[in-house]
């Protein structure tokens, strides 16, 4: 089971006189990068809310928004009458002509301190409702992440299957490769038209062929592919582990390419690198 780091969750709670909306968005990131936009009324609870999000989502670039919309007559914002009246008197003297009171009022309410906001204490019942709906939003985003993870898993299985097929072709080609290398070496020596010590030549030839032997690389690559598949089916989502396995797969593919000295096999190695690159791109999105 794997999860994507990409996701979205939303929850809306309707309270007396206000509507509170909670939105959570997440993208891929190496670590937890949490950004929370919370109104000042709820600042004292911000740490607890952030901890809830961090525990539920673990990793990723996460944006949490808590939005308040007034739906009733009660509001924390009121007109500062004394300040507005003072502004209107000053404006009536400063503005040319004879502006109406409506015009003066429109200008006055745009000036500093024309409106005042009274800070209210956070109601515990209201906070409990927010926590409940935050849990709902987290549940929704985790379901989204799981769906995305299933899509990623299908993609990974396809790429691993392709790599396994290409490895089988490499194994088949390898039977002819060393024979081809041996023939080319013998022909090159024959073209020199010099007398050689046959025993010494055989020893050097064996040494040369051993340098280009890829038996260990084939075995290790097969093990890494199997290990990657096992990690996909594990109970935990571990994108970093898949990334490490991908690096090991790449190391074996590169070694096969450098040792092959055989054009048909090098063509297969290029295809393997292409498949691995697609895996690496998607692994970055795994939790």
């Amino acid at each position: 089971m794997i999860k994507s780091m990409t996701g979205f969750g939303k929850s809306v709670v309707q309270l007396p006189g206000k509507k509170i909306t909670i939105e959570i968005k997440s993208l891929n990131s190496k670590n937890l990068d949490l950004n929370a936009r919370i109104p000042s009324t709820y600042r004292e609870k911000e740490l607890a809310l952030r901890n809830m999000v961090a525990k539920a989502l673990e990793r990723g670039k996460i944006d949490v928004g808590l939005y308040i919309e007034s739906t009733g007559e009660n509001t924390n914002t009121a007109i500062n009458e004394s300040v507005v009246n003072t502004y209107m008197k000053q404006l009536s003297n400063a503005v040319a002509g004879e502006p109406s009171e409506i015009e003066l009022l429109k200008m006055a309410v745009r000036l500093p301190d024309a409106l005042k906001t009274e800070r209210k204490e956070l109601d515990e019942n209201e906070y409990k409702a927010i926590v409940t709906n935050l849990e709902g939003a987290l549940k929704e985003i985790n379901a989204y992440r799981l769906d995305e993870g299933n899509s990623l898993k299908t993609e990974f299985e396809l790429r691993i299957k392709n790599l396994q097929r290409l490895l089988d072709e490499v194994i088949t080609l390898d039977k002819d490769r060393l024979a081809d290398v041996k023939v080319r070496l013998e022909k090159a020596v024959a073209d020199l038209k010099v007398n050689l010590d046959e025993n010494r030549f055989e020893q050097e030839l064996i040494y040369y062929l051993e340098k280009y032997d890829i038996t260990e690389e084939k075995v290790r690559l097969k093990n890494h592919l199997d290990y990657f598949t096992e990690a996909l089916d594990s109970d935990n989502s571990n994108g970093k582990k898949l990334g490490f396995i991908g690096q090991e797969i790449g190391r074996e593919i590169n070694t096969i390419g450098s040792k092959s000295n055989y054009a048909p096999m090098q063509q297969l190695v290029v295809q393997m690198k292409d498949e691995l690159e697609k895996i690496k791109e998607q692994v970055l999105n795994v939790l």
Side-chain angles (χ1 to χ4, degrees), residues 4 31 39 44 51 96 124 133 168 183 223 247 262 275 284:
S4 170
N31 301 298
E44 63 187 86
N51 287 339
E124 284 300 321
N133 281 270
D168 290 340
V183 169
N223 291 338
Q247 290 177 3
Y262 190 50
E275 294 293 331
L284 296 175

Side-chain angles (χ1 to χ4, degrees), residues 28-44:
N28 64 307
S29 177
K30 288 184 178 180
N31 301 298
L32 178 65
D33 181 6
L34 179 56
N35 177 42
R37 292 185 295 275
I38 298 177
S40 58
T41 307
Y42 306 96
R43 287 296 182 189
E44 63 187 86

Side-chain angles (χ1 to χ4, degrees), residues 29-248:
S29 177
K30 288 184 178 180
N31 301 298
L32 178 65
D33 181 6
L34 179 56
N35 177 42
R37 292 185 295 275
I38 298 177
S40 58
T41 307
Y42 306 96
R43 287 296 182 189
E44 63 187 86
K45 300 293 186 180
E46 180 177 350
L47 182 59
L49 296 175
R50 290 174 69 95
N51 287 339
M52 282 181 61
V53 175
K55 184 177 179 181
L57 301 185
E58 300 179 36
R59 191 161 70 100
K61 180 175 174 56
I62 301 165
D63 289 315
V64 180
L66 182 60
Y67 307 102
I68 304 173
E69 179 184 349
S70 179
T71 59
E73 295 181 357
N74 295 330
T75 176
N76 294 342
T77 303
I79 296 174
N80 196 335
E81 294 183 15
S82 60
V83 172
V84 171
N85 287 331
T86 301
Y87 281 149
M88 291 177 67
K89 289 178 182 179
Q90 293 175 357
L91 288 168
S92 65
N93 297 325
V95 176
E98 296 182 358
S100 66
E101 288 189 357
I102 296 297
E103 292 174 334
L104 291 173
L105 181 60
K106 287 181 179 179
M107 288 186 284
V109 295
R110 296 193 186 102
L111 297 174
D113 301 322
L115 301 177
K116 58 183 179 180
T117 301
E118 297 179 359
R119 179 180 173 85
K120 291 186 177 181
E121 294 298 323
L122 178 62
D123 183 84
E124 284 300 321
N125 291 329
E126 184 176 307
Y127 175 65
K128 289 178 181 178
I130 291 173
V131 169
T132 299
N133 281 270
L134 177 58
E135 290 172 347
L138 290 171
K139 184 177 180 181
E140 184 176 317
I141 193 175
N142 269 322
Y144 191 115
R145 282 178 152 196
L146 190 58
D147 288 341
E148 287 289 309
N150 288 333
S151 299
L152 289 175
K153 182 181 178 183
T154 301
E155 174 72 10
F156 289 141
E157 288 173 341
L158 173 62
R159 300 304 168 191
I160 292 296
K161 182 178 179 181
N162 290 343
L163 283 172
Q164 184 62 65
R165 174 180 54 79
L166 291 168
L167 177 58
D168 290 340
E169 293 184 34
V170 165
I171 293 171
T172 301
L173 275 179
D174 196 35
K175 298 175 182 177
D176 300 325
R177 179 182 67 97
L178 291 179
D180 179 79
V181 171
K182 183 177 180 179
V183 169
R184 282 189 284 125
L185 286 173
E186 289 175 340
K187 183 177 182 302
V189 172
D191 290 342
L192 292 175
K193 297 180 179 179
V194 294
N195 294 324
L196 295 174
D197 184 330
E198 290 296 330
N199 291 332
R200 180 63 185 272
F201 176 71
E202 284 294 329
Q203 291 175 359
E204 293 294 335
L205 183 60
I206 291 171
Y207 172 75
Y208 184 82
L209 294 177
E210 284 179 347
K211 277 184 61 178
Y212 287 89
D213 182 67
I214 59 170
T215 301
E216 290 185 13
E217 286 76 11
K218 290 185 295 185
V219 172
R220 284 198 294 263
L221 179 54
K222 175 66 167 60
N223 291 338
H224 293 328
L225 294 176
D226 291 341
Y227 190 27
F228 193 98
T229 302
E230 289 176 14
L232 286 179
D233 294 328
S234 66
D235 293 335
N236 299 321
S237 177
N238 195 330
K240 291 183 178 180
K241 182 177 182 179
L242 292 175
F244 294 147
I245 300 173
Q247 290 177 3
E248 293 302 313

Side-chain angles (χ1 to χ4, degrees), residues 3-18:
K3 285 183 180 179
S4 170
M5 278 187 281
T6 303
F8 178 79
K10 181 178 181 179
S11 180
V12 179
V13 53
Q14 185 67 56
L15 299 175
K18 66 179 68 173

